[in-house]
Amino acid sequence: MSTVILGGGLSGLSAAYYLLKTHPKHSVQLLEASTRLGGWIKSNTLNNNIIFEEGPRTIRPHGLAAYNTLSLIQEIGLESSVIPIHSTAPAAKNRMIYADGQLHLLPSSISSIFKVMSPFSKPLVWYLMHDFIAQKQTVKDESIYDFCNRRFGTEVADYLISPMICGICAGNSKEISVKFLMKTLFEYEQKYGNIYKGLIRNLFNNSPKTELSKLAKRAKVERWSVYSFKDGLESLPRAIEQYIKKKDISIELNAKCKSIELYPRNITVHLDNGKSIDASQMISSISSEELSQLLKNQHPDLSTLLEKIKSVTVAVVNLQYNKKLLPKEGFGFLVPPKERLPILGVIFDSSCFPNGENTVLTVMMGGAWFQELFGKQCDKEYILNLAQEHLKLMLGINEQPENVKVNILEKCIPQYTVGHNENVEKIQKYIKENKLPLALCGSSYYGVGVNDVILSSKNAVEQLC
Ligand SMILES: Cc1cc2nc3c(=O)[nH]c(=O)nc-3n(C[C@H](O)[C@H](O)[C@H](O)COP(=O)(O)OP(=O)(O)OC[C@H]3O[C@@H](n4cnc5c(N)ncnc54)[C@H](O)[C@@H]3O)c2cc1C
């Protein structure tokens, strides 16, 4: 059996890892378009040992997908490089939003939900109770904004959910499906009339027990909030790369696939360097939009479904200053879209992982509003100036940074808009009905975070083999 894996980002590397682990006799070939493996995960270490993360920077340690990642980390021997942020640290407790011209701490403890905390006009518990009286609306899917607005009120939708969606997928909560983050709560409403009835009915439903790895148990006992690695998040794809290279795998860089012939018993991948590769099955870890282009001629219907999952562009500005400048330590802040500012959020990297007297920040811009804000031709200088102007306004930082890096990550985060789950079901149905030897993983289908894409790779391998 020969398998070709398309894409060498975290999900392609993870797919190779699981395939080699469960089917060591398979012939595996991984094709990566660029000159490096790791995809969006890129940690740049500066001369002064400061790390600029261009893409993701932290991983969640709780939940089934997270436990799976922690097992993988242990299996590849990366355990000793993990650096957690504990739940008592300021970076775990202090999550903020910027609204009405100032920073506001979000409720983060049981006692805080009983207090009025600006910009909310009532204690959070009041909004949560609103679910008892909110009318049920029968819908197949809706935006997460509409769902939260109906069940908890406009202030929760505007100040809690909308910025959270900016932070997770740089998206617009008025377009993103409720099933992206709140599938279970949505189903409770649809089934029982309100969320609390659903919660109570399912209180004693035992979820399947998972055998936790040593590292996952440690994360639970030590109450990690999130974690990264000593040399940055890129340590993870690097360690998987080193691990799989010791096995029987062929990895080709500069190997951009330009079209695919996909039949029930065989696949031919055509590369833009003129080479063609035959295989008996394929795992695609590239974005659905890119895959849709490769299948356009032979499978136009599948291509149309894949094309519906669009990704947004994010501008990432990393800045380092030689002194402590933050008015408050914390994870950082998000900006509710209703503020109509060109900033999605600012991460306080040096609060999360302190590094002497330095202040390290990452400003995220654009996302669902990228075209509207920066147009098709955007200038890095302009983006940097805008980021610095807003750091002055929002954090009072007037100093010039010692080091800066601006990156424009084109189409980097898929958007799970209303109808996404149904669209993915149709994609899987097409693959099944046409008996195509193709499995899909990566951030376009079953979750956009690091844990989700690793789990999607494990599932893709199981599905195919
Ligand atoms: C700015 C940003 C911040 C993020 N922050 C977090 C975070 O803090 N925590 C978290 O959990 N997640 C975060 N994420 C999400 C996380 O980074 C992604 O889930 C993950 O990196 C996706 O990996 P992937 O392998 O699926 O895709 P990619 O990284 O996109 O990898 C796909 C690979 O396929 C290659 N490729 C594309 N087309 C072809 C082709 N035709 N032929 C061959 N190869 C091809 C590409 O070159 C690329 O290397 C963030 C994402 C971004 C963009």
Side-chain angles (χ1 to χ4, degrees):
M1 191 67 92
S2 56
T3 308
V4 64
I5 299 174
L6 216 54
L10 182 62
S11 55
L13 288 167
S14 307
Y17 167 80
Y18 287 116
L19 195 54
L20 292 165
K21 182 181 165 183
T22 51
H23 298 80
K25 296 222 160 72
H26 273 209
S27 135
V28 184
Q29 188 158 14
L30 187 148
L31 304 172
E32 165 55 44
S34 72
T35 52
R36 65 179 278 283
L37 298 169
W40 294 121
I41 306 184
K42 205 167 182 189
S43 316
N44 288 309
T45 306
L46 311 182
N47 292 337
N48 53 6
N49 285 329
I50 299 284
I51 298 171
F52 276 176
E53 293 284 7
E54 283 184 19
R57 61 211 57 238
T58 51
I59 308 177
R60 281 179 297 107
H62 304 298
L64 290 182
Y67 299 148
N68 179 60
T69 305
L70 290 164
S71 297
L72 181 140
I73 290 170
Q74 199 176 303
E75 285 162 23
I76 59 175
L78 193 61
E79 206 177 337
S80 58
S81 298
V82 169
I83 40 167
I85 298 180
H86 295 97
S87 56
T88 47
K93 290 195 298 186
N94 299 343
R95 288 175 186 256
M96 293 167 263
I97 58 165
Y98 183 87
D100 306 329
Q102 54 177 302
L103 289 178
H104 304 267
L105 261 183
L106 289 172
S108 66
S109 62
I110 297 286
S111 63
S112 63
I113 69 170
F114 293 96
K115 289 183 200 147
V116 179
M117 290 178 75
S118 64
F120 298 95
S121 56
K122 299 187 180 66
L124 190 59
V125 69
W126 190 92
Y127 303 100
L128 299 178
M129 290 299 152
H130 186 263
D131 179 64
F132 282 117
I133 53 161
Q135 287 295 309
K136 174 191 166 185
Q137 236 175 60
T138 308
V139 278
K140 262 176 97 177
D141 194 3
E142 67 180 323
S143 76
I144 192 161
Y145 184 94
D146 286 345
F147 176 76
C148 291
N149 193 16
R150 282 197 299 105
R151 306 261 22 125
F152 307 116
T154 309
E155 288 190 359
V156 167
D158 279 334
Y159 294 127
L160 215 53
I161 302 304
S162 296
M164 201 198 296
I165 292 295
C166 289
I168 297 174
C169 69
N172 183 347
S173 64
K174 293 183 176 171
E175 293 167 0
I176 299 294
S177 163
V178 59
K179 296 177 190 173
F180 174 58
L181 273 194
M182 298 185 168
K183 188 166 182 279
T184 310
L185 301 188
F186 174 71
E187 285 169 355
Y188 284 167
E189 185 210 24
Q190 296 301 306
K191 205 166 165 191
Y192 305 111
N194 74 36
I195 293 171
Y196 293 106
K197 275 191 199 158
L199 283 173
I200 291 163
R201 298 257 185 125
N202 287 279
L203 202 58
F204 301 108
N205 273 4
N206 286 336
S207 46
K209 286 259 177 291
T210 346
E211 187 61 42
L212 294 190
S213 63
K214 217 173 99 200
L215 193 58
K217 281 183 192 153
R218 206 186 118 199
K220 261 190 145 175
V221 172
E222 294 178 7
R223 301 183 58 221
W224 298 359
S225 166
V226 287
Y227 64 94
S228 181
F229 303 94
K230 276 183 207 133
D231 296 324
L233 213 87
E234 196 175 333
S235 305
L236 180 55
R238 285 290 149 265
I240 304 177
E241 178 187 344
Q242 295 313 318
Y243 188 92
I244 60 175
K245 276 184 172 166
K246 290 185 202 133
K247 313 269 171 190
D248 197 9
I249 183 170
S250 144
I251 298 179
E252 230 176 294
L253 301 178
N254 292 311
K256 186 174 167 78
C257 171
K258 65 167 189 187
S259 68
I260 306 167
E261 288 173 62
L262 198 53
Y263 300 101
R265 288 179 191 282
N266 66 297
I267 287 168
T268 307
V269 176
H270 301 284
L271 304 183
D272 71 354
N273 60 17
K275 232 168 116 178
S276 292
I277 292 157
D278 292 316
S280 43
Q281 52 184 16
M282 180 163 98
I283 296 178
S284 168
S285 80
I286 65 176
S287 77
S288 58
E289 259 179 299
E290 280 168 307
L291 182 63
S292 98
Q293 294 306 311
L294 308 181
L295 295 170
K296 216 173 190 128
N297 292 337
Q298 197 196 1
H299 295 280
D301 294 345
L302 178 57
S303 170
T304 306
L305 295 171
L306 290 164
E307 207 178 7
K308 282 189 186 166
I309 309 166
K310 305 273 185 216
S311 296
V312 295
T313 299
V314 178
V316 178
V317 183
N318 302 105
L319 308 105
Q320 180 248 325
Y321 305 84
N322 277 347
K323 53 176 160 175
K324 290 213 177 284
L325 293 169
L326 289 174
K328 186 167 185 66
E329 299 295 331
F331 191 82
F333 65 87
L334 293 164
V335 184
K338 97 188 260 277
E339 298 295 311
R340 303 201 65 78
L341 290 168
I343 308 283
L344 294 167
V346 178
I347 296 150
F348 299 173
D349 299 281
S350 49
S351 251
C352 298
F353 304 110
N355 195 322
E357 287 300 298
N358 293 288
T359 299
V360 184
L361 304 172
T362 305
V363 183
M364 304 264 186
M365 301 159 88
W369 300 270
F370 194 91
Q371 293 303 330
E372 182 186 320
L373 286 168
F374 308 117
K376 282 206 167 107
Q377 294 292 313
C378 66
D379 175 19
K380 285 190 180 181
E381 192 70 29
Y382 172 70
I383 286 182
L384 176 60
N385 287 337
L386 207 57
Q388 286 192 257
E389 243 173 58
H390 282 83
L391 288 178
K392 191 171 168 182
L393 175 83
M394 297 162 147
L395 296 174
I397 295 179
N398 292 305
E399 280 75 358
Q400 280 304 310
E402 285 301 309
N403 287 292
V404 288
K405 191 143 203 283
V406 182
N407 282 292
I408 293 160
L409 312 184
E410 294 274 350
K411 296 190 175 183
C412 63
I413 310 188
Q415 303 292 289
Y416 291 16
T417 51
V418 175
H420 173 85
N421 286 15
E422 290 71 20
N423 190 42
V424 173
E425 276 168 24
K426 284 183 195 159
I427 291 170
Q428 293 297 4
K429 189 165 173 249
Y430 183 99
I431 293 172
K432 200 171 170 193
E433 284 179 355
N434 290 277
K435 298 189 171 62
L436 302 180
L438 167 69
L440 306 172
C441 63
S443 57
S444 293
Y445 312 100
Y446 302 105
V448 299
V450 163
N451 293 323
D452 305 311
V453 305
I454 294 177
L455 188 61
S456 78
S457 304
K458 189 181 185 187
N459 292 337
V461 169
E462 276 173 17
Q463 181 196 327
L464 210 56
C465 302

